């Protein structure tokens, strides 16, 4: 199969977009999951939310862009994946919607029950995608049942295989680790100490789970050069543990990000040149040629990307820089949300 430059380019660009999404959204998923663990008091929970408040919606832009780029560059991949993975992707979508609403409306009403429901939405919307993204990507690497028309013929439960479920555990632990390190980097005081302690435990769990899954993926589906990604990921996670113990939070967070990048390289490197391999009949696989748009479409997309992507990157880098300072519980002001309306009991009797 002769590969075209633009097809390869857009495969790489989509991998980069997913890398950006998983690295950036990964830490705010982690913060959301740690909300009930580190946020014992109301101001502590508000502190945790404030660390990602200016960033989480910008991080989700990477997901929208990755989905849009897949739709435009590889429409058949998009159609097969979103129809075959309809249930898990729908669940992820619901979780992200609930999470976004909970972030936006939590501070609007000053009521304990209201805040508990919003906290539950943030926690739910962080745990569910953290697991299901790993399940989805592991199934892409493993391959799914496709017919000659590239239609998914497996059922929902065929996606819940041991390899995919372990992939879900890996992304869960990586995001918990990434979130704990982000909190250690962004906060000060008691939460910083507790986040560092949790990060050490998550690092050990990530080394075990991610190491097992990465070796399984490499031996079963990888290529010779993707051993490099496996080694970098393993070395990065060990470095996370060591730098975390040494109190070097910036380095620990950087190594955590490198581990996620290496994992994405392993995933997309194992796929290439396929985008959705068939586990039953190899000839039914979708690849970067038979799933792609026309050369004209890819050319137009390339010019648009050249002009707009640098602006998006510059804006997001500026946002991160502006909100770079550490936060403390003492920085959190008193709540100013609306009070709930309580009706006097005597009026209810009437």
């Amino acid at each position: 199969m002769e590969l075209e430059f633009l097809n390869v380019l857009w495969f790489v660009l989509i991998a980069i977009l997913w890398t950006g999404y998983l690295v950036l959204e990964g830490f705010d998923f982690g913060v959301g999951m740690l909300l009930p663990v580190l946020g014992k008091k109301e101001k502590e929970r508000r502190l945790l939310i404030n660390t990602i408040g200016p960033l989480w919606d910008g991080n989700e832009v990477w997901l929208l862009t990755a989905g849009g780029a897949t739709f435009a560059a590889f429409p058949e991949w998009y159609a097969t994946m979103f129809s075959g993975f309809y249930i898990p992707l729908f669940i992820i979508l619901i979780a992200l919607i609930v999470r976004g609403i909970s972030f936006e409306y939590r501070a609007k009403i000053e009521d304990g029950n209201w805040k508990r429901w919003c906290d539950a939405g943030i926690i739910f919307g962080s745990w569910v995608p953290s697991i299901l993204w790993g399940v989805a990507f592991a199934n892409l690497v493993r391959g799914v049942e496709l017919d000659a028309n590239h239609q998914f013929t497996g059922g929902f439960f065929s996606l819940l295989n041991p390899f995919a479920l372990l992939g879900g555990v890996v992304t869960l632990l990586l995001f918990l680790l990434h979130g704990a390190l982000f909190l250690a980097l962004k906060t000060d005081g008691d939460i910083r100490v507790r986040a560092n302690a949790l990060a050490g435990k998550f690092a050990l769990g990530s080394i075990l789970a991610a190491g097992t899954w990465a070796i399984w993926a490499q031996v079963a589906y990888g290529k010779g050069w993707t051993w490099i990604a496996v080694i970098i990921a393993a070395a990065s996670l060990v470095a996370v543990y060591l730098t975390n113990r040494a109190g070097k939070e910036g380095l620990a967070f950087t190594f955590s990000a490198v581990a996620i990048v290496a994992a994405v390289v392993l995933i997309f490197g194992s796929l290439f040149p396929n985008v959705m391999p068939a586990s039953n009949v190899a000839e039914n696989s979708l690849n970067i040629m038979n799933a792609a748009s026309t050369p004209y479409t890819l050319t137009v997309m390339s010019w648009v990307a050249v002009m707009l992507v640098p602006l998006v990157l510059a804006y997001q880098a500026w946002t991160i820089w502006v909100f770079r300072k550490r936060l403390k519980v003492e920085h959190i002001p008193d709540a100013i949300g609306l009070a709930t309306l309580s009706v006097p009991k005597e009026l209810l009797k009437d």
Side-chain angles (χ1 to χ4, degrees), residues 254-265:
T254 301
F255 282 123
S256 175
V258 171
I260 295 174
V261 172
V264 178
V265 171

Side-chain angles (χ1 to χ4, degrees), residues 54-67:
L55 306 174
W56 70 267
D57 48 354
N59 294 342
E60 289 190 353
V61 170
W62 290 82
L63 173 62
L64 298 175
T65 309

Side-chain angles (χ1 to χ4, degrees), residues 87-130:
I87 293 177
L89 291 177
F90 180 75
I91 294 172
I92 290 174
L93 178 61
I94 293 297
L96 293 177
I97 291 172
V98 169
R99 181 171 174 267
I101 292 173
S102 300
F103 274 134
E104 294 293 343
Y105 285 90
R106 186 185 189 277
K108 303 300 183 184
I109 297 177
E110 192 55 33
D111 177 74
N113 287 330
W114 174 265
K115 292 183 182 297
R116 279 189 288 272
W117 276 107
C118 289
D119 290 345
I122 294 171
I123 296 164
F124 168 79
S126 300
W127 275 87
V128 170
S130 296

Side-chain angles (χ1 to χ4, degrees), residues 190-228:
D190 183 57
I191 288 183
R192 178 183 180 184
V193 174
R194 288 189 281 146
N196 269 316
L198 280 176
K201 297 176 182 178
F202 292 140
L204 291 175
S206 297
I207 291 170
L208 178 61
T212 302
W213 186 85
I215 292 173
W216 188 352
Q218 174 61 36
V219 171
Y221 312 106
K223 299 176 175 62
W225 69 268
T226 52
W227 274 112
I228 299 172

Side-chain angles (χ1 to χ4, degrees), residues 65-349:
T65 309
T70 304
F71 172 77
F74 301 102
E76 192 137 359
W77 179 18
Y78 181 94
T80 301
M81 182 170 61
F82 275 76
S83 60
F85 292 4
Y86 181 83
I87 293 177
L89 291 177
F90 180 75
I91 294 172
I92 290 174
L93 178 61
I94 293 297
L96 293 177
I97 291 172
V98 169
R99 181 171 174 267
I101 292 173
S102 300
F103 274 134
E104 294 293 343
Y105 285 90
R106 186 185 189 277
K108 303 300 183 184
I109 297 177
E110 192 55 33
D111 177 74
N113 287 330
W114 174 265
K115 292 183 182 297
R116 279 189 288 272
W117 276 107
C118 289
D119 290 345
I122 294 171
I123 296 164
F124 168 79
S126 300
W127 275 87
V128 170
S130 296
I131 297 171
L132 291 185
W133 282 131
V135 172
F137 277 110
N139 272 299
L140 284 181
V141 173
R142 176 178 176 268
V144 294
E145 295 179 9
L146 300 177
D147 62 19
N149 295 318
H150 307 306
Q151 297 297 311
F152 177 71
T153 58
F156 170 72
F157 290 102
S158 69
L159 301 176
L160 304 179
N161 53 80
F163 181 74
L165 292 175
L166 180 57
V169 172
V170 170
T171 50
L172 175 67
L173 288 171
L174 285 177
F175 292 164
L176 282 167
L177 170 63
H178 208 40
L181 291 169
F182 178 78
L183 288 173
L185 194 60
K186 278 288 294 179
T187 62
D188 211 346
D190 183 57
I191 288 183
R192 178 183 180 184
V193 174
R194 288 189 281 146
N196 269 316
L198 280 176
K201 297 176 182 178
F202 292 140
L204 291 175
S206 297
I207 291 170
L208 178 61
T212 302
W213 186 85
I215 292 173
W216 188 352
Q218 174 61 36
V219 171
Y221 312 106
K223 299 176 175 62
W225 69 268
T226 52
W227 274 112
I228 299 172
V230 175
I231 294 169
I232 291 175
S236 297
L237 288 176
V238 172
V240 168
Y241 179 75
L242 296 176
T243 52
N244 171 253
R245 290 199 58 165
K248 298 178 180 179
E249 296 154 344
L251 275 177
F253 182 76
T254 301
F255 282 123
S256 175
V258 171
I260 295 174
V261 172
V264 178
V265 171
L266 172 61
I267 290 168
F268 279 85
S270 299
L271 282 174
F272 187 82
N274 292 321
V275 292
M276 203 163 184
S279 60
N280 49 344
V281 181
E283 289 74 16
N284 294 345
S285 297
L286 282 167
N287 55 56
I288 63 172
M289 299 305 297
N290 62 18
S293 292
T294 63
Y296 177 77
T297 300
L298 296 178
T299 300
V300 172
M301 288 175 61
S302 300
W303 281 110
V304 172
V306 166
M307 290 185 288
L308 296 183
V309 169
L311 294 177
V312 174
L313 292 175
Y315 173 77
Q316 189 145 31
W318 176 78
T319 303
I320 293 171
W321 175 257
V322 168
F323 295 99
R324 67 190 182 279
K325 292 186 178 181
R326 291 184 182 272
L327 299 177
K328 300 179 183 179
V329 172
E330 292 77 14
H331 295 156
I332 304 301
D334 293 332
I336 57 173
L338 296 173
T340 53
L341 179 63
S342 59
V343 180
K345 292 182 179 179
E346 57 270 18
L347 294 180
L348 291 174
K349 292 178 181 179

